[in-house]
Amino acid sequence: MDIGVFIPIANNGWIMSSTSPQYLPSFDLNKEITLKAEKYGLDFALSMIKLHGFGGETEFWDYALESFTLTAGLAAVTSKIRLYASVPVLAIPAPIAARMAVTIDSISHGRFGINIVSGWQKAEYDQMDLWPGQEHFLNRYEFCAEYVTVMKELWATGQSDFKGRFLTMNDCKLLPKPTADIKIVCAGQSQTGVDFAAQYADYNFCFGMGLNEPTKCQEAVSRNVEASRKSGRNCGALLLFMIIADETEEAAWAKWEHYKAGADLDAIAWMNGQGEADVRKTMDVSAIYMSRPPSAMNLNIGTLVGSYATVARLMDEIADVQGAAGVLLTFDDFLVGMDQFGQHIQPLMKTRANVQSAA
């Protein structure tokens, strides 16, 4: 089971709380986290892209770096771990993203991939007059399909004359070609998003669910498996989970309750408002799912709370989710959390015994 880290490219990671660890994003912070991940044998690191934060008391995600340039820097200081940058498809033309990908492929010697971000938060793009209008909620995956098609044509042949509903290429050129296959990932939760992933992506991120319920996401993963079967392709499911661990059960749960007590209600309300703008308004839409109970405070990421032994056991249970290709981890405090995982949790995991042997 592959394990990756969702590095904190924006302030405070993935917890909207005034009582959780508070930190600003920087290259040095993300470099240290990624080097720890590489040291402990994690398989990949991924950075999101966020162009407009949620505000509130914590100014949640109001401070954020840019994903491709950050990843290029990380590629230069790492040697083994796979790296994924996120592209906001409404803000960066497909041929430019494809060329940036080739550049980081060269820096990393073939360890680079792209996460496709279709654009669910209107404010991110409206601020730059890039929002196409409400119809984007309905056709954003059609747009993404054309976007990925253009990139793949350029990587494969160095040229594209693609003519579509949204994108038009006129003898578009891209050389050199990448040295390795550039994997595509996305985070489609709606059926349309899952179908897009099955047809165009190598991996689809699925939300882990619940509190210490590692297999609760089986239904969502099964939809991904079925869509992949219908497409005739292999699109692996990567499950998103947050770890809040400590030496004892009591200490770990005390942190979780402390964070809940400081929940940033204004930031949560902002996120909720952005999600409600989606004209589909169904719970399988990512933005709407993230803003609902039981824990909008951490975007409803599946959460594992407990002692090192408890979290190791729960992590092993994730391997029982049929169709799961791996896990993408977040932490309350990333520097502390990476050491806790690498030194105390992973050594207890049966599913990572091969990593311990290699170490």
Side-chain angles (χ1 to χ4, degrees), residues 193-358:
V194 170
D195 291 341
F196 163 78
Q199 188 169 354
Y200 293 96
D202 299 287
Y203 299 100
N204 187 29
F205 290 114
C206 299
F207 278 96
M209 295 180 179
L211 185 60
N212 288 2
E213 299 175 276
T215 62
K216 190 175 181 179
C217 57
Q218 179 64 73
E219 182 179 352
V221 176
S222 295
R223 288 197 297 126
N224 192 75
V225 171
E226 177 61 16
S228 294
R229 186 192 65 78
K230 289 180 178 179
S231 72
R233 300 179 66 255
N234 182 22
C235 177
L238 296 175
L239 310 183
L240 181 60
F241 278 92
M242 173 176 288
I243 288 179
I244 298 175
D246 214 310
E247 293 183 7
T248 67
E249 300 289 330
E250 293 76 15
W253 282 101
K255 287 195 289 188
W256 174 242
E257 294 298 329
H258 183 57
Y259 301 157
K260 288 199 300 181
D264 189 337
L265 300 181
D266 288 337
I268 293 170
W270 169 268
M271 176 178 67
N272 183 61
Q274 291 293 300
E276 289 292 344
D278 192 320
V279 295
R280 293 169 295 170
K281 289 184 170 55
T282 58
M283 281 296 289
D284 63 355
V285 175
S286 298
I288 294 178
Y289 172 81
M290 289 188 298
S291 64
R292 290 293 191 266
S295 183
M297 178 193 70
N298 70 332
L299 294 86
N300 273 305
I301 294 171
T303 308
L304 307 180
V305 180
S307 67
Y308 303 142
T310 292
V311 172
R313 173 179 57 80
L314 293 170
M315 286 289 295
D316 278 336
E317 289 182 20
I318 294 174
D320 293 332
V321 177
Q322 298 300 308
V327 182
L328 179 64
L329 294 177
T330 70
F331 301 91
D332 50 343
D333 184 320
F334 275 80
L335 292 176
V336 172
M338 281 304 312
D339 284 335
Q340 288 176 330
F341 184 82
Q343 296 174 17
H344 303 292
I345 298 171
Q346 185 170 246
L348 299 176
M349 292 174 58
K350 296 176 182 178
T351 53
R352 297 290 282 180
N354 61 319
V355 176
Q356 298 307 307
S357 299

